[in-house]
Amino acid sequence: METMRNSLPTAAYPLTQSPDNGEASRTAAPAPCPATAKAASGTARIALCCILGIAAWLRLYHLDVPSMWWDEVLVPMTARLPYERIVERALTLDIHPPLFYLLIKAVMTVSREDWALRLLPALAGVAGVALLYRVGRECISRNAGLFAAVLLAVNPLHLLLSRQVRPYTLVFDLALLSLWAFVALVRGAGWRAMLGICLANLTLALLHFTALLLLGAEGAMLLALACLRRSRRDVANLVFFTLGAAAAAGAAFPFLLGAMSANLSPPNGPQSLAAMAALSSARLGETFWFLPNMISRATITALLLVGVFRLWRADRPTCLLLAGFTFLPFMAVVATRFTTYFNPWHLTILLPAALILAGNGLSLFVPAASARPWFAAALCLALALPYPVFLQERFYAVASHTGPYKSLAALLGRVVEPQDCVVFSDQGLANAALWYADRNGNAGERLRHPHLRPDQDIAGLFFVEIGRASCRERV
């Protein structure tokens, strides 16, 4: 594995020994020639710029299409409420904490267009690619960071979430920041690293409840370090982290109680551990590669395992930390055996460490170190080209994956008369169609409240459902 100088402080002793009698787990390597190091750094920067350009192109291209779907529309519908109603709804009805609604409310003071509402998740998605490179470089190596950035730039789930009014790209970024600060803390950084962990976790807890899984994983690893190394520093880190974690969990707990009481009762009872492990593994595979391609999922999983093995041989402390960030939350999901509203994007917090390890494994297959940055940029472009060419309908078509609500609202606005009645097959469809109708003059009001004048004796009755709309007249 290539060596580099980490900007994060490195631990002065291994994870399993005390500072008094242990020796450093990292062996000193000869410093590279300054000219060679500068050239390698410049090449990596050029490759990273190419990868970021590709990531931005995929995420920002035609950001105003497709139509927002049900869950997307619920965000601006909630965000247009007064601040106190947003918080009250999060305490009683919603399944998410209120922070993302408040962020979108701020965006809506500028614009309510689809592209504007999606701009924050899209920019967070691009920033996540750059941040993943930086953290991968600091944790392992420059090339591991580059290849991790490639895997994220073309990750179908991350791309999809970057183009939706959903909080998961911000969840990814905050989980990555927490990981970065945590590694720095374990390697010997001081109060700034602890402050970074606490701030990232507090913000993440107000953004999504999966933050609690991350808190548990970090707490378990700090507890293990305190028991194994028995140093005052580790005990102090555990104490201060516990206080910060209590603040983050306490901020999210009232909203979690409201969500559980209103929405999250398991309909079929808990799953067995074996069934839950199988389901969670399938969801994790979809997180690695959301499109239905088992070869891609298996390939990334294999790269992750290669990366773990490679890092284990070179730097066991860092390997244990990254593996802990991936597998401890996963084991917690399996142990809780809770499947209601369990989707691949709920495992977004597992992606940062997993992709860094997979990037470390991928870099092994390019023998020439000097060629790795160029290969990373070329690989990113090759994997990105199918999206606008062969996957246009999936990511850039007018219709979302649940329906063309923008077009539907425009059509209804043209054909429905003030006296006509419109019936939607479900509330999600109604929300999406009426959101767009409200932006077309008074079309939304006409669809909600038909008005039959005394001199009229005929009105149309429209029934609208997914994939079909029908109309019949009545006297």
Side-chain angles (χ1 to χ4, degrees):
M1 176 177 293
E2 66 178 283
T3 59
M4 62 167 296
R5 290 175 292 178
N6 289 328
S7 63
L8 297 178
T10 57
Y13 43 100
L15 297 180
T16 55
Q17 295 180 345
S18 69
D20 299 324
N21 57 13
E23 295 179 357
S25 62
R26 298 187 176 199
T27 59
C33 171
T36 303
K38 185 176 180 179
S41 178
T43 302
R45 288 193 184 97
I46 295 173
L48 177 62
C49 288
C50 294
I51 294 169
L52 288 176
I54 293 169
W57 166 52
L58 292 176
R59 285 155 179 77
L60 299 176
Y61 174 70
H62 281 187
L63 194 57
D64 57 329
V65 295
S67 297
M68 289 194 293
W69 65 292
W70 308 331
D71 286 1
E72 279 190 276
V73 168
L74 280 176
V75 175
M77 287 182 65
T78 302
R80 66 185 177 183
L81 298 173
Y83 290 102
E84 60 275 11
R85 284 285 295 119
I86 294 175
V87 176
E88 179 185 352
R89 191 176 187 279
L91 287 169
T92 56
L93 297 173
D94 214 313
I95 59 173
H96 296 102
L99 180 57
F100 188 65
Y101 299 119
L102 299 177
L103 293 175
I104 295 300
K105 187 175 185 66
V107 173
M108 291 172 65
T109 61
V110 179
S111 174
R112 297 192 177 193
E113 296 296 323
D114 289 3
W115 68 267
L117 296 175
R118 289 169 171 158
L119 187 59
L120 177 61
L123 293 178
V126 178
V129 176
L131 188 60
L132 186 66
Y133 161 75
R134 180 64 185 271
V135 179
R137 188 191 76 179
E138 305 294 357
C139 289
I140 304 179
S141 70
R142 183 183 293 115
N143 287 324
L146 274 178
F147 283 103
V150 170
L151 293 175
L152 181 63
V154 299
N155 181 278
L157 181 62
H158 193 265
L159 173 58
L160 189 67
L161 296 174
S162 297
R163 297 177 56 81
Q164 294 184 359
V165 191
R166 307 287 284 149
Y168 296 102
T169 54
L170 282 78
V171 169
F172 177 92
D173 291 356
L174 288 167
L176 186 54
L177 287 172
S178 183
L179 165 63
W180 191 7
F182 189 87
V183 173
L185 182 71
V186 172
R187 289 180 174 179
W191 63 270
R192 292 182 180 178
M194 179 62 73
L195 181 61
I197 295 172
C198 293
L199 290 178
N201 289 344
L202 176 61
T203 308
L204 183 57
L206 293 174
L207 198 64
H208 203 271
F209 295 127
T210 52
L212 300 178
L213 298 175
L214 195 64
L215 290 174
E218 291 176 340
M221 285 188 283
L222 285 179
L223 178 61
L225 287 174
C227 294
L228 292 172
R229 299 201 300 202
R230 300 179 183 178
S231 70
R232 292 183 179 179
R233 177 190 291 272
D234 290 314
V235 173
N237 286 341
L238 178 61
V239 171
F240 285 113
F241 172 84
T242 302
L243 294 176
F253 192 66
F255 303 108
L256 178 61
L257 284 181
M260 294 181 66
S261 62
N263 299 285
L264 300 184
S265 299
N268 301 317
Q271 300 279 343
S272 67
L273 283 177
M276 191 63 200
L279 176 62
S280 301
S281 299
R283 292 289 183 267
L284 186 59
E286 293 178 66
T287 305
F288 290 160
W289 198 261
F290 190 59
L291 298 174
N293 190 319
M294 291 302 298
I295 296 177
S296 298
R297 295 175 191 173
T299 299
I300 297 178
T301 303
L303 290 174
L304 186 154
L305 296 176
V306 171
V308 169
F309 178 74
R310 188 182 183 205
L311 186 59
W312 178 259
R313 295 181 60 188
D315 185 354
R316 291 187 181 182
T318 301
C319 182
L320 289 172
L321 290 179
L322 294 178
F325 267 85
T326 303
F327 296 111
L328 289 179
F330 178 81
M331 292 167 60
V333 170
V334 174
T336 56
R337 292 181 290 180
F338 193 84
T339 59
T340 303
Y341 296 108
F342 181 32
N343 293 299
W345 44 86
H346 295 148
L347 297 179
T348 306
I349 60 167
L350 304 183
L351 269 181
L355 290 182
I356 291 173
L357 291 168
N360 186 46
L362 181 56
S363 66
L364 177 65
F365 294 93
V366 185
S370 60
R372 288 171 184 166
W374 303 119
F375 181 84
L379 178 64
C380 187
L381 180 60
L383 294 175
L385 286 176
Y387 285 102
V389 178
F390 302 108
L391 299 172
Q392 176 82 17
E393 291 296 319
R394 184 67 180 86
F395 292 90
Y396 304 106
V398 173
S400 70
H401 65 281
T402 58
Y405 305 111
K406 192 183 302 186
S407 304
L408 174 63
L411 175 63
L412 292 175
R414 289 195 303 268
V415 303
V416 173
E417 299 295 334
Q419 69 273 14
D420 294 336
C421 180
V422 179
V423 179
F424 295 94
S425 61
D426 60 81
Q427 189 61 47
L429 172 60
N431 288 340
L434 292 175
W435 166 261
Y436 284 112
D438 285 337
R439 292 164 50 187
N440 297 328
N442 64 345
E445 182 65 22
R446 287 194 290 112
L447 297 179
R448 287 186 181 89
H449 305 293
H451 178 67
L452 186 65
R453 298 195 307 269
D455 59 333
Q456 294 175 319
D457 56 0
I458 296 179
L461 176 62
F462 292 81
F463 179 77
V464 183
E465 64 180 339
I466 298 299
R468 185 179 68 178
S470 60
C471 170
R472 61 187 179 89
E473 288 188 337
R474 62 179 176 82
V475 177

